[in-house]
Amino acid sequence: MNELETLKSWVEESNNIVFFGGAGVSTESNVPDFRSADGLYNMKYAYPPETIISHSFYMRNTEEFFRFYKDRMLYPEAKPNAAHLALAKLEQEGKLKAVITQNIDGLHQAAGSKEVLELHGSVHRNYCSRCGEFYDMNDILEKEGVPYCSCGGVIKPDVVLYEESLDSDVISKSLRYISEADVLIIGGTSLTVYPAAGFIDYYRGNKLVLINKSVTPMDRQANLVINQPIGQVMSMFLS
């Protein structure tokens, strides 16, 4: 039995699957990742992207932050790809319990997934830092420069920046899903960013699947490794 057949049989036999995904899940929707050759970290700006999307930079140089954020982190035209759609279908079939994602693009929800745990927040939620008024992504795109609320406060994206903490409730819920999962599928992530990369240690089962185009530091821990684009692999669950 080859890798794809093994994955298919594990999915068919289980009704307690958890998916944990990273940027590679959305690259097939033309949302660039951070670490590949044409990813955000290799683009030329006056500052490295990891500096720009840090809390201290946001506070110190808000205008430059939003210039980069609108230019490079908002993709209103992006549509769910086969991976997003397959995961939503598996959830509807009662097989998939949750999607845990490091992505901020909202494509899992757009595909129809209901139980989505967003470790790094979402570009679709934005709140006035003064009065708490909610704004969606289009509100941010429509405003020139720094987006201000009608009350005068800066509208901050509900996205976890460098130097900011992940939401403790989202973390604890994610770890519970992972620890109780029968099958854990990890896809489209290099598994190098902590604390998220450490989540894998909470899995107690023996059906750990890693789907990533390149090798990851966790490959040796996996029960099944598939080095193919995630959309291509997951599309078999759409038929």
Side-chain angles (χ1 to χ4, degrees), residues 3 10 25-26 41 45 54 57 68 83 85 93 95 98 110 114 119 130 153 165 182 188 195 203 208-209 224 229:
E3 289 96 343
W10 286 359
V25 178
S26 292
Y41 281 166
Y45 277 83
S54 67
F57 189 92
F68 178 87
L85 296 169
E93 291 169 355
K95 292 185 162 297
K114 303 291 183 225
L119 295 173
R130 183 182 291 175
S165 301
D182 171 29
Y203 177 61
L208 174 57
V209 184
L224 182 63

Side-chain angles (χ1 to χ4, degrees), residues 33-99:
D33 69 1
F34 271 55
R35 287 176 172 76
S36 65
D38 54 352
L40 287 179
Y41 281 166
N42 293 295
M43 293 177 174
K44 301 294 180 267
Y45 277 83
Y47 305 87
E50 56 204 315
T51 298
I52 299 175
I53 52 177
S54 67
H55 178 81
S56 52
F57 189 92
Y58 168 80
M59 298 300 290
R60 187 177 67 245
N61 200 337
T62 312
E63 192 165 346
E64 182 67 7
F65 168 87
F66 275 107
R67 191 173 76 84
F68 178 87
Y69 179 76
K70 292 180 194 178
D71 192 31
R72 292 295 175 190
M73 298 184 72
L74 299 182
Y75 292 86
E77 307 303 319
K79 298 283 188 290
N81 62 50
H84 299 108
L85 296 169
L87 291 165
K89 181 169 181 265
L90 290 173
E91 184 188 45
Q92 285 156 16
E93 291 169 355
K95 292 185 162 297
L96 186 84
K97 296 303 178 202
V99 168

Side-chain angles (χ1 to χ4, degrees), residues 122-136:
S122 172
V123 297
H124 296 280
R125 297 188 300 269
N126 305 272
Y127 298 96
C128 172
S129 47
R130 183 182 291 175
C131 74
E133 180 75 24
F134 172 86
Y135 291 88
D136 65 20

Side-chain angles (χ1 to χ4, degrees), residues 136-155:
D136 65 20
M137 179 173 66
N138 290 329
D139 293 325
I140 301 298
L141 285 167
E142 286 165 4
K143 292 178 183 289
E144 290 290 320
V146 178
Y148 287 101
C149 175
S150 54
C151 81
V154 176
I155 302 167

